[in-house]
Amino acid sequence: MPTDPTAWARAFRQQVVASSAKGWSVFPHRDQMRLQVRDGTGSSSVILPYPWQASATGDALLRVRLIYQQVYAGQTLKGASEIANGASSRTEHGWAEAVAKFEKHKKSFGNAVSDGTWNLKYLPTLQLALGCLQSRQPPSNAAELLDAVLIRWDPGSRSRQIAAQNLAQFLNYCTERLHFKRCWMPPPKLASHVGQRPRGSAKREGYPIEDAQILRLIDGLPSDETGARWRFAIQLVSTFGLRPEELRYLVPKPGPDGTQLWCTYQKKGGGGQTKPRRLFPLPVRDIDGTAMNWNLIGRLQLREDLPPLGTPGRAGDAINTYLRRQAVWHQLRAETAAFGEVLVPYSLRHRYSYEGHRLGIAAKDLSQAMGHSLECHLRAYARFTSNETARAFAAAAARRDEPLALAD
């Protein structure tokens, strides 16, 4: 039988017997605690979710007492341990209070988030977590909680990855700042919880809407005031490659070559915070290749009205809601689906990237114009760089075939 000569371990074992009965004891098991119970019929044991350390004895002793109460009431040791796990997750930590403290922390320190980002990105995931933790059979550790929450998203999807990262941030905060039990510390790598797409399933790529489709969309919108405002918004997003949220942050500024358009939106993400940037147009063109002269900067200078974009952080929802009510949008979606693509509001922004790569603009320059990192750009738009790659190899081949210039 394993023994531990340290003073804290001997005292801990004495406390276990005093809190339960003769034959109950604890031992180390792969750096964790193992509770063993001996009676007249033999012995059984369960692993306790605590490290074999003196600092964990207080929590472990409370868990042993809960288990003993259930065994005394007629449960098996294993059944009593499962019941104690559930009772512990419900009563030992104030999860709702922890969410409130985490919200305050995220909005006030580090790479602080806005109210809109909190409500859109963090709160839905944490509400799902609270629901799991307050259920009749709640998770008993971080791994179980991650799986219980993330099951709602497709394996390997970007949405599941973001939810996993945000929930892991919360659990790290709980264990490191609020001193929750170590069993709630998330694993250092989340890949096993995010998972991978099933073999054979295709990743949904962002479809870059074609210029002809943009013109059809604009022409098909209602001729009322609301339609005029959304027509202006769609022209801006597709011409400058904007995120819908950036429509709130457009500022014309004087420049050496005329009026420039700047976006002051600062997006927070895993790579830090984006900086205000100058916008460069890639005009939408008609079937003859003529660029549409929509005088977008001049109209902004005249303060032409944009559509209502909802609460901060929800402009994407606003444009999606409006377009889903338009017959022309559904026609375009059906046409796009016929050749295996998915048309979404972000397709207007994807069009800008596609057009830029088609024109030979380097990925580094496009990423700066679109307001994200080069790494993010290549991850999202790698499929658009094939033309750029082909041109580079064609240029290299041409240089190879050029005759060498003879020195004078």
Side-chain angles (χ1 to χ4, degrees), residues 265-280:
Y265 179 62
Q266 294 180 275
K267 185 179 185 295
K268 301 179 178 68
Q273 181 169 285
T274 61
K275 298 179 180 179
R277 69 187 192 279
R278 181 183 174 184
L279 301 176
F280 297 89

Side-chain angles (χ1 to χ4, degrees), residues 77-278:
L77 180 62
K78 181 179 179 181
S81 177
E82 292 176 351
I83 293 173
N85 284 344
S88 173
S89 65
R90 286 194 299 270
T91 62
E92 291 181 21
H93 299 310
W95 289 104
E97 182 181 359
V99 170
K101 291 181 178 179
F102 180 61
E103 178 183 4
K104 183 177 180 180
H105 174 77
K106 287 298 297 180
K107 292 180 179 180
S108 304
F109 299 99
N111 189 17
V113 302
S114 64
D115 289 340
T117 298
W118 171 263
N119 292 332
L120 185 64
K121 300 293 186 181
Y122 288 86
L123 187 56
T125 300
L126 297 183
Q127 287 175 332
L128 289 173
L130 287 178
C132 293
L133 291 162
Q134 294 166 358
S135 64
R136 294 183 62 184
Q137 293 184 324
S140 61
N141 55 55
E144 291 180 4
L145 179 59
L146 282 162
D147 286 346
V149 171
L150 300 179
I151 193 66
R152 290 154 175 83
W153 289 277
D154 292 335
S157 65
R158 178 61 177 161
S159 298
R160 182 186 276 200
Q161 182 184 40
I162 292 172
Q165 292 170 347
N166 292 342
L167 182 53
Q169 283 186 48
F170 170 65
L171 293 174
N172 274 317
Y173 176 81
C174 289
T175 53
E176 295 175 359
R177 303 293 293 271
L178 303 183
H179 307 295
F180 278 30
K181 294 180 179 179
R182 304 303 292 177
C183 64
W184 295 109
M185 174 69 74
K189 295 183 178 181
L190 300 172
S192 63
H193 297 284
V194 174
Q196 297 180 348
R197 296 178 184 275
R199 183 173 297 179
S201 65
K203 180 180 178 181
R204 177 181 289 187
E205 302 284 3
Y207 168 68
I209 188 170
E210 298 176 2
D211 285 9
Q213 291 177 312
I214 294 174
L215 296 177
R216 284 177 56 197
L217 173 61
I218 290 173
D219 290 341
L221 296 182
S223 57
D224 56 13
E225 181 182 353
T226 301
R229 291 186 179 193
W230 278 110
R231 192 174 290 109
F232 185 27
I234 290 169
Q235 291 169 343
L236 285 165
V237 169
S238 56
T239 299
F240 292 101
L242 303 175
R243 304 175 179 92
E245 188 66 21
E246 292 175 337
L247 289 167
R248 307 178 199 267
Y249 300 89
L250 301 179
V251 180
K253 296 182 180 181
D257 52 351
T259 304
Q260 302 173 351
L261 185 60
W262 283 71
C263 176
T264 61
Y265 179 62
Q266 294 180 275
K267 185 179 185 295
K268 301 179 178 68
Q273 181 169 285
T274 61
K275 298 179 180 179
R277 69 187 192 279
R278 181 183 174 184

